[in-house]
């Protein structure tokens, strides 16, 4: 199975996340950044074009052989579906229609969810809020692997398998670490998704459904775009828990690579994050950054010092207004 990885525990810190303090410093020096906050009027059109492209692809693949179904699912559909999950990430911050039309954002996320094949958007929103507010906090931030993942996936072969199973862990980990009651929006998300899948199956058969779901699974597994999962918060340098990537893949991922900037200013749409980097360059230029998501995946698999344990974790003291993680709704 390969050589056992070097890390045997998470990196525990007892300080607050750096994004809160840096946000204050940047706004004090560059208050004009506030003008970038708000919704992105182009987002709904870009996302709708991607959704309709996948529906067209469903029509085109209905008579293909199975080997070509999986080929196009990985090379084409997986790219679009992974990009749509990142659109849903952007929409979860209400940047499609603004904070005053929060429900419109939730419904639009369900529209963006349709080509993914499985209901995802409503649950993602619920947990992603915690990821920003409680970055790295034990039991709150479900983006962090479990102890079992860190212990077991510690060799190159096992880490490669872990990357392949990333969609499964992202779906199931919240249910283990911080389960929350199923809400009305999640039920609506599931019903809308089921109706869409049934319509596609009725008109074009099983192969388009397999194309969509396989694209989602393969595109979020061992795939160049999936390097962002590891690049964002895995500790490649000691003490640094968030990293940006400024390469060309940002063009098809709604600038999720500008992740340092995103955590500093989550209410700014992905389309405007390069402007944050440009305005406040002195705060970002000297921070560690990645130059290749493919290289990130390679290093994750073959570098003994990097693995599921290579994450910063912190304890968090509850305020009187806050509940325990298992009680959150």
């Amino acid at each position: 199975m390969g050589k056992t990885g070097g890390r045997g525990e998470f990196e525990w810190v007892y300080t607050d996340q750096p994004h809160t303090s840096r946000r204050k410093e940047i706004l004090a020096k560059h208050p004009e950044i506030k003008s970038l906050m708000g919704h992105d009027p182009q987002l709904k059109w870009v996302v709708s074009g991607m959704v309709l492209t996948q529906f067209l692809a469903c029509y085109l693949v209905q008579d293909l052989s199975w080997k070509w179904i999986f080929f196009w699912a990985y090379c084409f559909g997986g790219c679009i579906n992974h990009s749509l999950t990142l659109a849903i990430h952007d929409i979860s911050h209400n940047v499609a229609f603004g904070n005053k039309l929060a429900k419109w954002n939730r419904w639009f996320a369900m529209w963006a969810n349709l080509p993914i094949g499985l209901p995802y958007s409503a649950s993602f929103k619920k947990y992603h809020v915690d990821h920003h507010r409680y970055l790295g906090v034990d039991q709150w931030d479900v983006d962090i692997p479990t102890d079992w993942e860190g212990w077991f996936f510690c060799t190159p072969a096992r880490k490669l398998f872990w990357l392949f199973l990333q969609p499964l862990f992202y779906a199931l980990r919240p249910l283990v670490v911080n389960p929350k009651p199923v809400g009305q929006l999640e039920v609506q998300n599931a019903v809308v998704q089921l109706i869409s899948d049934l319509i596609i199956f009725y008109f074009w058969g099983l192969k388009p459904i397999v194309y969509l779901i396989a694209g989602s699974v393969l595109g979020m597994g061992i795939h160049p775009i999936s390097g962002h999962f590891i690049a964002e918060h895995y500790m490649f340098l000691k003490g640094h828990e968030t990293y940006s990537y400024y390469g060309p893949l940002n063009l098809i991922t709604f600038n999720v690579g500008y992740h340092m900037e995103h955590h500093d200013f989550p209410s700014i749409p992905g389309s405007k994050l390069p402007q944050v980097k440009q305005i406040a360059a002195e705060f970002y230029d000297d921070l560690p950054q990645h130059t290749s998501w493919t290289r990130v995946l390679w290093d994750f698999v073959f570098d003994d010092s990097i693995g599921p344990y290579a994450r910063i974790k912190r304890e968090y003291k509850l305020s009187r207004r806050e509940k325990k993680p298992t009680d959150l709704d």
Side-chain angles (χ1 to χ4, degrees):
M1 292 294 288
K3 184 178 177 181
T4 301
R7 291 196 64 89
E9 175 58 284
F10 295 105
E11 183 83 4
W12 284 90
V13 300
Y14 302 92
T15 57
D16 193 9
Q17 59 168 294
H19 302 287
T20 305
S21 57
R22 184 166 52 244
R23 181 185 308 119
K24 293 179 180 178
E25 293 177 21
I26 292 175
L27 288 178
K29 188 173 182 180
H30 300 287
E32 65 272 23
I33 284 180
K34 291 182 180 179
S35 65
L36 302 177
M37 299 175 183
H39 77 287
D40 177 2
Q42 299 301 317
L43 183 61
K44 57 183 177 291
W45 304 116
V46 174
V47 170
S48 294
M50 295 167 66
V51 172
L52 295 175
T53 297
Q54 280 293 70
F55 286 157
L56 175 61
C58 286
Y59 168 77
L60 295 175
V61 304
Q62 61 180 316
D63 295 322
L64 293 182
S65 64
W66 284 109
K67 67 177 181 180
W68 289 110
I69 292 289
F70 287 102
F71 173 83
W72 289 113
Y74 183 83
C75 296
F76 181 74
C79 296
I80 294 182
N81 281 6
H82 196 143
S83 184
L84 283 171
T85 68
L86 297 173
I88 291 171
H89 163 259
D90 233 19
I91 297 165
S92 73
H93 293 283
N94 293 336
V95 300
F97 296 96
N99 290 323
K100 293 182 179 180
L101 297 173
K103 279 294 180 69
W104 287 34
N105 289 282
R106 304 290 79 75
W107 295 329
F108 186 66
M110 294 181 196
W111 163 250
N113 194 147
L114 295 183
I116 295 172
L118 298 170
Y120 160 81
S121 63
S123 295
F124 175 81
K125 161 68 176 177
K126 185 164 61 177
Y127 285 101
H128 190 62
V129 170
D130 286 350
H131 171 63
H132 274 270
R133 186 175 183 184
Y134 307 112
L135 179 65
V137 175
D138 189 33
Q139 297 185 58
W140 291 69
D141 185 358
V142 297
D143 185 66
I144 298 176
T146 61
D147 281 311
W148 181 83
E149 292 172 71
W151 169 78
F152 184 78
F153 296 101
C154 58
T155 67
R158 293 182 188 179
K159 286 192 284 185
L160 188 66
F161 189 50
W162 184 84
L163 290 175
F164 180 77
L165 295 177
Q166 269 195 109
L168 179 65
F169 285 113
Y170 267 82
L172 297 182
R173 189 187 300 133
L175 305 180
V176 175
V177 177
N178 184 11
K180 298 183 179 185
V182 175
Q184 182 179 0
L185 282 174
E186 287 167 292
V187 174
Q188 293 174 357
N189 189 188
V191 170
V192 169
Q193 188 66 54
L194 178 61
I195 292 174
S196 173
D197 291 348
L198 288 174
I199 291 174
I200 292 173
F201 178 77
Y202 177 80
F203 283 104
W204 300 319
L206 179 62
K207 287 183 178 179
I209 299 296
V210 174
Y211 162 79
L212 292 178
I213 296 178
S216 299
V217 174
L218 296 173
M220 295 177 68
I222 302 175
H223 195 283
I225 298 177
S226 293
H228 80 86
F229 285 128
I230 307 301
E232 291 166 0
H233 295 295
Y234 283 78
M235 192 176 58
F236 282 74
L237 290 176
K238 186 176 178 62
H240 293 274
E241 61 184 313
T242 307
Y243 301 78
S244 284
Y245 155 83
Y246 303 117
L249 288 178
N250 279 302
L251 296 174
I252 59 172
T253 57
F254 297 91
N255 285 327
V256 74
Y258 288 77
H259 215 68
M260 190 76 73
E261 294 83 352
H262 170 63
H263 270 264
D264 287 350
F265 300 99
S267 61
I268 294 180
S271 61
K272 298 180 181 179
L273 290 177
Q275 294 174 250
V276 175
K277 169 70 163 54
Q278 183 179 18
I279 293 171
E282 70 274 22
F283 288 90
Y284 297 111
D285 285 349
D286 295 331
L287 293 175
Q289 58 186 255
H290 293 292
T291 57
S292 168
W293 281 342
T294 303
R295 178 58 186 268
V296 164
L297 293 175
W298 178 273
D299 289 344
F300 180 83
V301 172
F302 294 106
D303 189 333
D304 286 342
S305 67
I306 307 170
Y309 268 140
R311 292 291 295 261
I312 285 179
K313 292 185 77 172
R314 52 175 52 88
E315 292 184 352
Y316 183 81
K317 294 183 180 180
L318 296 174
S319 69
R320 292 182 179 180
R321 294 180 298 175
E322 291 172 326
K323 305 175 185 178
K324 293 181 180 179
T326 53
D327 296 329
L328 287 177
D329 49 32

